[in-house]
Amino acid sequence: MVMNNMDSKDLSMPMGEKDNDNIDLMALVLVLVRGWKIIALMALLGFLIGFLYTRYVNPTFQSDALIQIEENTQGVEALGENISGLVKEETSKAETEAELIRSRMILEPVVDLLNLRTRLTDPNIGYIDRIKNNRIDTQINTPDSVSLNTGNGLVQIEQFDVAPEYLNQSFTLIRSATGFILSNGFDEFKGQLGQPHQFEGLNGQINITVTELPTDSYPINITKQTLKTTTDAINSTLSVEERGDQTSIIQLSMIGTNQQQITIILNQIVQSYVDQNQSRGSEETTKTLAFMETQIPALKEKLENSEALFNSFRKKYGTIDVGKEAELLLNEKSRIGEQLNDLKLKKADLTTYYTEEHPMVIQINEQLKVLNSRTQAIDNTVAGLPEIQREFLKLSEDTALNREIYLTLLKNYEQLKIVEAGQIGYARILDRPTSTFDAIAPNKLQIIMLTVLIGTMLGIILVLLKNLIRNVVKDPEHLEAKTGIPVIATIPRSPSISKLGKNKKNTDRMLAHVDHNGLSYEAIKSLRTNLIFGMPIGAVAGQSAKVILITGESPGVGKSFITANLAEVFSQLNKKILVIDGDMRLGELHKMFGMSQHEGLADYLLQDETGLIPVSEPQINTDISKLNLESFIQPTGMKHIDFISRGRQSHNPTSLLTGESFNHLMAELKKQYDYIVIDAPPILAASDAMVLGQHADKVLLVTKFNHSVEGQLVYAIKQMSRANVQVDGIILNDVRQSIINKYSYNYHYAYGHTQ
């Protein structure tokens, strides 16, 4: 079979290089899975915060209203082109009206009507109360009073007015035996319930009428806000916008913690706007009527005078036949006169609104100038007619013109009076505010889900930061490359030992007793084999014992567990084994064997201080020394294994280990045993391991899988190296082979009996 080039390349590529990306991604996932407890804790914390927040905040309600804005008014325009042309046409856009609704012109009447500047708060409600009650009562404003329900009763204020210096300043109201007490920290006033009072304070007058207060001296805070503060607060909860595109329908929405309160306020805002709108709509009609009322008597009088003069002239001279030219001039001048009067009427009306510099007024003045020039030309022409004809034309013209103006103005005046009687604004209420009592916020489920999500994300970040900062031991191959020391054994976690560890009363941690068929026990045996064949040749051939020192970089890595079980598997070779607890500070190896810590290593080394054995003298009676040494060696009850405990608490164990007593002790023990296993203190906790390492044939460093910090382990090895102690191997303890711990290595298989 012939393989193609691509297959050859794939096979020739190292597996590690092909799977780097997958391993990195899997490593990231496994880091998160290993930190599931932190992530779950942060998610639970987020859930609690979200739940408490939904209990803490008051429910938020909403009230809506709809207003239609008609583009054309129904006022002056209804009179037709004659009079509507005299008044400037106005159109109202929804965007402009929306901003108008937010103005103080609309809101101030609402604030005054509902006494919204008076604010009542209950200072006795704390954070716990808000969470426990899930909802806190807020004040209700009506035209008659301001009220607030409390746990001890009702607060009701009918009037509260203060001098400007007291605005936005909090007062305290307390019920007394005779009425109430009002104070602000400087002033204190006493009054009766249900009666109006006027107090004179340091900064001005205070007018207040208190109808009801809670019992038992329950304090209530009361504040008189400025108008701007109150309207700003209303605008912060009020939404005014056009519904749809170019629909001229405005939607008003108001939110708040009290459905009844926001419905009352929004209803008054709508009514205030409609009232203002109607007032603005009738304003132009009212002004036009007022102008007409001043002009009608003058025009009537002018008409009567012109008619009297004309009648008198006709009576005196009789009827005059005016020629064709005179008729044409008369007709033209008559038309010009009508135009002049129209323009004068327009100008008179416009000057009530604008000055002489307004473009429309200037335009009318220019038109008047042109017509006057034409009138002057006609007059010059007429001047050539006989005097009687001229007089006839003049009187006839004045009479006809004055009659036309008077009748037109009188007709429009009567029509405008009818319009004024039925005048309406161009804003129409489509929907008034109603109370639904359905809270729109908080969305409890959404908030809780969001806080849980945020908590989970924070948990993930913490796990990643922890993994970044605290690079724990996981991969034996990486550990060997990092330290240069071979990992001679990986000890899997024993399920049986883990179960026993939960019971603090059970101190038996010997694998031979609780898990003799487990992978952990087999791993200890493999470590024994590795050590036997790895011993120096001279040490194996000689008669003296082989000394194995077991230590760790930090406490809690399981070095005592390894020491005890390694000694047990060595004893199976029918060799005499001695186990020494070299940790004279916090050693607990005696618990592994179920023995006492007293009469141990520290006691033996301190004999020179008690005077039992003069170890400082070079001549030592060997028999006496041996006799005293045997009294410190305790049989463990396990075949071929003896034990020396740590002994009494010593203040300076390092000095004891560097003395001659310990050298003599080790020399004597090597003659009596085949293997001596010493459990040394952690390297980074004390320097004892460096001293004990001078007497060892093998120095083993125990580190704990997924617990020990890689940087600490490397530093511990450097510390031993500086003391001229070579670490011969690393034991990776408590390895867990699972889907979570992909980087754990365990090549042992249960072989033999499983029972």
Side-chain angles (χ1 to χ4, degrees), residues 59-226:
T60 301
F61 300 92
Q62 182 173 331
S63 188
D64 299 312
L66 288 179
I67 297 177
Q68 181 185 13
I69 306 299
E70 297 178 350
E71 295 298 332
N72 296 319
T73 65
Q74 299 297 324
V76 177
E77 285 80 355
L79 301 178
E81 296 181 357
N82 292 332
I83 190 66
S84 63
L86 304 179
V87 182
K88 182 177 182 293
E89 181 181 358
E90 293 184 1
T91 58
S92 175
K93 301 298 182 181
E95 295 84 355
T96 304
E97 297 302 312
E99 293 301 321
L100 181 62
I101 292 174
R102 291 177 170 274
S103 67
R104 283 197 291 271
M105 182 183 72
I106 302 299
L107 297 182
E108 185 174 1
V110 179
V111 171
D112 294 338
L113 177 66
L114 297 179
N115 304 303
L116 295 178
R117 294 174 63 185
T118 301
R119 304 298 300 170
L120 297 175
T121 55
D122 189 350
N124 306 282
I125 298 177
Y127 299 112
I128 303 300
D129 297 323
R130 294 177 67 94
I131 294 174
K132 186 169 74 172
N133 296 330
N134 193 27
R135 181 174 179 178
I136 304 301
D137 290 325
T138 55
Q139 71 181 47
I140 296 293
N141 292 69
T142 64
D144 299 326
S145 64
V146 181
S147 59
L148 173 66
N149 281 319
T150 68
N152 283 32
L154 178 68
V155 183
Q156 192 170 36
I157 309 296
E158 290 187 357
Q159 178 195 16
F160 184 57
D161 296 314
V162 299
E165 290 77 7
Y166 287 124
L167 292 176
N168 291 334
Q169 186 178 127
S170 179
F171 289 81
T172 302
L173 268 175
I174 300 178
R175 186 165 189 161
S176 64
T178 59
F180 68 88
I181 299 175
L182 177 68
S183 64
N184 65 346
F186 301 99
D187 300 321
E188 185 173 294
F189 311 102
K190 297 181 180 180
Q192 300 294 323
L193 294 177
Q195 297 181 10
H197 293 277
Q198 185 178 78
F199 302 119
E200 191 67 37
L202 295 176
N203 296 325
Q205 287 186 350
I206 300 173
N207 297 306
I208 187 170
T209 303
V210 182
T211 307
E212 191 64 42
L213 281 176
T215 58
D216 302 330
S217 300
Y218 195 84
I220 294 296
N221 290 341
I222 181 171
T223 306
K224 186 73 172 183
Q225 296 179 335
T226 61

Side-chain angles (χ1 to χ4, degrees), residues 75 78-80 82-83 285 289 292 408-421:
L79 301 178
N82 292 332
I83 190 66
T285 305
L289 283 173
M292 287 182 174
T408 301
L409 190 60
L410 188 62
K411 176 185 175 182
N412 288 336
Y413 176 76
E414 294 299 330
Q415 289 180 347
L416 201 56
K417 290 284 287 184
I418 297 173
V419 171
E420 184 187 32

Side-chain angles (χ1 to χ4, degrees), residues 307-320 392 395:
E307 286 179 344
L309 291 173
F310 185 59
N311 291 332
S312 176
F313 178 83
R314 292 179 64 185
K315 184 177 180 181
K316 181 178 180 181
Y317 295 101
T319 303
I320 299 176
F392 176 83
L395 294 175

